[in-house]
Amino acid sequence: MPRKKIMTIFGTRPEAIKMAPLVKALEAGEAFHCVVAVTAQHREMLDQVLDLFEIKPDHDLDIMQANQTLFDVTCKALTGLKSVLEEEKPDLVLVHGDTTTTFVASLASFYLQIPVGHVEAGLRTGNKRSPFPEEMNRKLTGSIADLHFAPTTTSRENLLREGVNPETIFVTGNTVIDALLQTVRPDYPFTGPDLRNIDFANHRVLLVTTHRRENLGEPMRQIYLGLKEIIERYPDVLVVFPVHKNPKVRAVVEEVLGGLKRVRLIEPLDYQPFINLMNKSHLVLTDSGGLQEEAPSLGKPVMVLRDTTERPEAVVAGTVRMVGTDRQKLVESVSELLSSPGAYRSMANAVNPYGDGQACRRIIQSLLFYFDKNAVRPVDFAVK
Ligand code: UD1
Ligand code: UDP
């Protein structure tokens, strides 16, 4: 019997990181023929991940342009994917998460009546404008998808509340934990110029990332002003900030934090040094989604620079705190952790609500079950 053809479609850094272990697992197995298409909604930041995991896309739409709008990404990806899907005729398309590439790839597949599997399904804030446009991207993708790979029972419940057929939902854990466990090393040597001179022994490193569309402009300025105050208050604090390539982020970062002594503004790091830097950091400040999953598993407290989160599990577990973008609240919350060892200890617990490193295995078993190649439905991921 011919192997079923699975096409994975992704376009940005986080999708690539979270799909990479799945692509590798599909390629390593005999059961499926795996084809990779990238929109390249991101370019350099995507290529960093493709290089690291040695993934050579079969199709690369190369759509990124500077200061692209949602319309640019949507239109270019939709048109480009039409040709790719018509040529390849996959038996199923796998998309990931909540980017515009994710939604558009689902829509293109739906128009061509190709089944869609949604990896990292069911995350919700309940607010269609926050994060923007991701909440809507994932809801629309969820409406189209035929298979839902929910990372946690919370995300499964979100889907059930929206009327999704329970037979089509598989709780798998998040593939980001598969990627992380394959990457983190206690003895990782920092050889790159940005990290090799960091004196971890005498500094508390605050790892910072920001990029959310709804934070662009004034909210980001307030975050950076808050950071500046923290640096002035605590002489042993060193901020390491790999700055997202978005020119709108870069302009404000440079304006507020440029030239400050204990601030390292650096280029986006490759995933390997980035994760190992996180492992050596004291605290993480971020508006990223993925970092909210990675840091808890390394026992690093996270201050989330957003008003909403679709990842409540680590907030409940106590390692993640929502602080928003208010400058004063940020300074107070971070100061509390930097001044009180007890407060820090209460947050710095390694918890793994998002996965156990077996998500890819469960997704592949679910695909085998879907295609009637395996009679047994895989057992759902549950937190131990
Ligand atoms: C996108 C996703 C967001 C995801 C984020 C991860 C959408 C609408 N947004 O947001 O969900 O959390 O990626 O980082 O899908 N740029 C480069 N080189 C790169 C990448 C980006 O120069 O490798 C610059 C370009 O000028 C580009 C801009 O950044 O136009 C914004 O990229 P875009 O993908 O539109 O938005 P992100 O904020 O990265
Ligand atoms: N990351 C990276 N290098 C960096 C910053 C982040 O490899 O300099 C990784 C990080 O480990 C995580 C992912 O990028 O897996 C998060 O991407 P981002 O914050 O851009 O997107 P989000 O998760 O918010 O969608």
Side-chain angles (χ1 to χ4, degrees), residues 127-144:
N127 179 344
K128 74 176 176 189
R129 293 195 173 75
S130 177
F132 178 87
E134 289 83 3
E135 176 79 355
M136 208 32 118
N137 281 344
R138 58 195 170 219
K139 283 188 78 167
L140 294 166
T141 302
S143 299
I144 289 172

Side-chain angles (χ1 to χ4, degrees), residues 10 12-22 45-46 48-50 52-53 55 96 175-180 183 269-272 274-275 294:
F10 49 93
T12 67
R13 170 175 67 189
E15 292 164 77
I17 289 170
K18 290 166 162 183
M19 283 300 234
L22 185 55
M45 287 161 57
L46 173 73
Q48 285 180 302
V49 186
L50 296 175
L52 172 67
F53 287 93
I55 294 173
H96 181 280
T175 58
V176 77
I177 306 298
D178 298 32
L180 180 138
T183 307
L269 288 165
D270 287 347
Y271 177 63
Q272 229 170 0
F274 181 79
I275 278 297
E294 293 162 339

Side-chain angles (χ1 to χ4, degrees), residues 235-253:
D236 67 332
V237 157
L238 176 73
V239 167
V240 182
F241 190 163
V243 186
H244 192 286
K245 285 274 187 193
N246 190 339
K248 296 194 178 90
V249 176
R250 296 196 154 207
V252 189
V253 172

